[in-house]
Structure formats: C-alpha cells, structure tokens
Amino acid sequence: MRLLPARRAGCDRFDFGGRDVAAWFPRHMAKGEGWGERVTVLNNAHIPLSGRNPILQEVLGIRPHILVLNKMDLADPSRQPVILERLKQQRCSHVVFTDCKHDVNVKKIVPLVAKLVDNSPRYHRAESTEYSILVIGVPNVGKSSLINSLRRLHLKKGKATPVGGDPGVTKAVLTRIQVCEKPLMYLVDTPGVLAPKLGDVETGMKLAVCGAIHDHLVGEDIMADYLLYALNRQQQFRYVQRYGLAEACDDIGLVLKHVALAQGRTQKVKVLTGTGNVNMVMLNYPAAAYEFLRDFRAGRLGRVTLD
C-alpha cells in the first residue's frame, strides 16, 4: 500500500493526483442509461447532490418522479434544509428522506407517487387502476432495501429481492414486485446506474467513499485519505476517540496506524536476515484503510453529509 504524504493542517483542497474517473465506470451500468418512464429516484443522503446522475435528470424531464434520499440515519440532519434548498433550485421539489433499515418515512412514498401520477397529464388513470414504478439510482444506495421496506409496511411480506453492501448486487432488471395492495402498486428493481462521465474527480471520490464504485477500482489508500480530509473539513472528529489518537490530524499514515492497532489489523511477513528467514508481525495498512471506510459507511464515525 502506498501511504500518501501528510497534508498541511487546515488545507481546503485535496490533491487527487491527476486521476481519471473514466476507469471507475463498470461497463454493465451502461444498460440503464435509457430507463426512466414512471420513476422513483433513489439516492444516498451522504451525497444528495453528488449522487445525482445528470443523465437521469435530463431523462426525467416532465415525468412524475420523486427523489428518495436513503440512509438518512447516516447523514448530518442539520444539513437537510440546505440540501432541500439546493435541490429545489435544481427543480427537484418532491424529496423524501428515508431509513429503509428501520422503515423511517417510507410510508410517505406510496401516497406521494400515486398523487403525482394521478395529477400528471401523461397518464390516464381511468384506463388502469394499478401503478408500475421504476426504482433507479446509483449503485449500493438501497434500491432493493426500499422495495423490501415497502413490502414490509404495506403487505407484511418478507424480502423479495436480494440486498448487499457492495455495488452491483443487482445486475439485471427484475420482474415487477408488488409493494402495495391499496393502491395496487408494483416496483421494478434495477441495476445501479452511474453516469459514464462524472462531472469531476471529487464527485467520483464521494461516490466511491459511499460504496457506489468498487473499492479496488479507485484504491482504498486514496479513498481513506480523502475521507480523512472530508471529516476534518467538516469538523467530524469522532475518529480521534474511536482509534485512540491524541488529536485530529491530516496524516493518513498515522490515522491508519492507529486503526490497525485498534482493530488488530496485522499480517505476518517473512524477512530475510543474515541468519535466515524471520517471521515478523507488521501492521496491515490496506486492511486498516478498508476498516476506516467501513466504519464511515456504517455510521461509526458520526453522521456526515459529504455535499
């Protein structure tokens, strides 16, 4: 693992080292770019702005849709008014913050979807009494979790679609899944969709830190370093106590050393000496970087909104 140099304390820019985000885009995601008729758009409350796919924003246009910001339990609640105002400026006025693990606010979705579709001149509800809704969003944002949460609330049913903590669990469009009886509503789970051309490297890095891009495509070392930068910039210092540091710092090497010590992330390495091979126990920095990212994604480093 290549440890990055320590940054000056208080710096307000992050050096991405000339990285090209094009290499982070999995080809199977291109299948989803043309979707979007009757839509529920799902996004991560960690990145409510960076996580929006610009292609989907163009496709949605006049179609009735709502933006569901999931994982609200992991995001900074004080940022909600600012985020809502920014989204309103982007002509996104129907926004619901949810926590699908605990079904928080999920009950608001079905009535809002029905209202928007019924009031849309694009659809003649006299011709049909059922609603068929597409759920789209970036990878690992909780699309399958939303479907399962809706089924628990409205049908008292169990899981209908698999979920996972890594991007790419859903790779194909599934059959319609009923999520409500009255009104009769079906949702369709879809693979996560990333724009093939992200706006900038920092947007891509935020997506990666939140698990929307496979870690190995970006590199756990640079992701951990960016996460430390983001936490310090927002004065989120819970990592200091969690990993036993004396104070907040910008040195990712020092932080990962404490992560490895706190979490027991070590590895045995053979060292050739003058008397033969000797087994030595050394700190596992790649494993520590992964633990640092995993703690953030699980909310153990505080409630943070990266945008």
Side-chain angles (χ1 to χ4, degrees):
M1 178 178 183
R2 179 179 61 83
L3 289 180
L4 303 171
R7 294 181 305 282
R8 178 173 53 85
C11 64
D12 57 2
R13 286 192 177 182
F14 186 86
D15 181 8
F16 292 101
R19 281 172 168 75
D20 180 10
V21 294
W24 302 350
F25 181 73
R27 290 295 96 196
H28 82 270
M29 291 183 187
K31 294 186 296 185
E33 293 172 18
W35 299 334
E37 282 300 320
R38 301 162 303 281
V39 180
T40 293
V41 183
L42 195 64
N43 198 5
N44 189 330
H46 269 317
I47 44 173
L49 305 175
S50 299
R52 300 192 70 199
N53 188 329
I55 295 178
L56 294 180
Q57 293 182 48
E58 293 178 9
V59 170
L60 291 175
I62 62 172
R63 294 170 174 83
H65 64 278
I66 65 174
L67 174 61
V68 177
L69 294 176
N70 193 33
K71 304 183 181 181
M72 62 176 289
D73 56 311
L74 305 180
D76 184 353
S78 69
R79 294 280 298 162
Q80 285 191 15
V82 176
I83 295 301
L84 288 172
E85 181 60 31
R86 291 281 302 276
L87 290 170
K88 186 177 179 180
Q89 293 172 4
Q90 298 176 9
R91 295 184 297 179
C92 184
S93 55
H94 303 291
V95 182
V96 179
F97 287 87
T98 63
D99 168 12
C100 290
K101 284 187 176 180
H102 303 97
D103 300 333
V104 177
N105 288 346
V106 177
K107 278 192 174 181
K108 297 179 180 180
I109 295 175
V110 167
L112 182 54
V113 168
K115 177 182 176 181
L116 292 178
V117 173
D118 289 346
N119 293 340
S120 172
R122 292 174 56 86
Y123 304 100
H124 303 289
R125 301 311 303 166
E127 299 175 5
S128 176
T129 58
E130 67 179 44
Y131 301 80
S132 185
I133 310 299
L134 199 63
V135 181
I136 55 179
V138 298
N140 197 26
V141 76
K143 295 181 295 297
S144 299
S145 296
L146 174 63
I147 291 176
N148 292 332
S149 177
L150 286 166
R151 285 174 59 82
R152 281 196 303 270
L153 287 170
H154 296 286
L155 299 177
K156 310 302 180 185
K157 300 286 187 179
K159 292 183 179 180
T161 182
V163 298
D166 296 316
V169 172
T170 305
K171 289 187 169 62
V173 178
L174 306 178
T175 56
R176 296 192 310 163
I177 301 171
Q178 185 179 352
V179 296
C180 189
E181 185 69 37
K182 293 181 180 180
L184 183 57
M185 185 173 293
Y186 297 88
L187 264 65
V188 180
D189 196 7
T190 63
V193 182
L194 285 175
K197 292 184 179 179
L198 299 174
D200 54 70
V201 180
E202 185 160 16
T203 295
M205 192 63 70
K206 290 178 181 178
L207 286 163
V209 166
C210 291
I213 301 173
H214 284 290
D215 294 345
H216 70 274
L217 295 176
V218 182
E220 288 89 344
D221 56 349
I222 185 69
M223 290 166 61
D225 197 24
Y226 176 79
L227 175 57
L228 177 61
Y229 158 79
L231 292 173
N232 287 338
R233 183 175 60 179
Q234 298 198 21
Q235 298 186 338
Q236 295 277 358
F237 302 129
R238 188 175 294 185
Y239 70 88
V240 174
Q241 180 180 5
R242 179 167 179 79
Y243 303 127
L245 278 80
E247 59 183 359
C249 73
D250 284 331
D251 186 346
I252 187 59
L254 178 61
V255 171
L256 293 184
K257 176 181 178 180
H258 279 77
V259 174
L261 290 171
Q263 304 293 335
R265 297 303 174 186
T266 59
Q267 58 186 339
K268 290 184 178 180
V269 178
K270 284 187 177 181
V271 178
L272 181 61
T273 68
T275 58
N277 291 336
V278 176
N279 288 326
M280 296 185 62
V281 177
M282 302 183 66
L283 299 179
N284 189 333
Y285 282 92
Y290 174 72
E291 286 295 330
F292 188 42
L293 292 167
R294 191 169 71 167
D295 279 348
F296 167 74
R297 293 165 182 169
R300 290 187 283 268
L301 301 183
R303 299 182 66 175
V304 183
T305 300
L306 297 177
D307 287 332

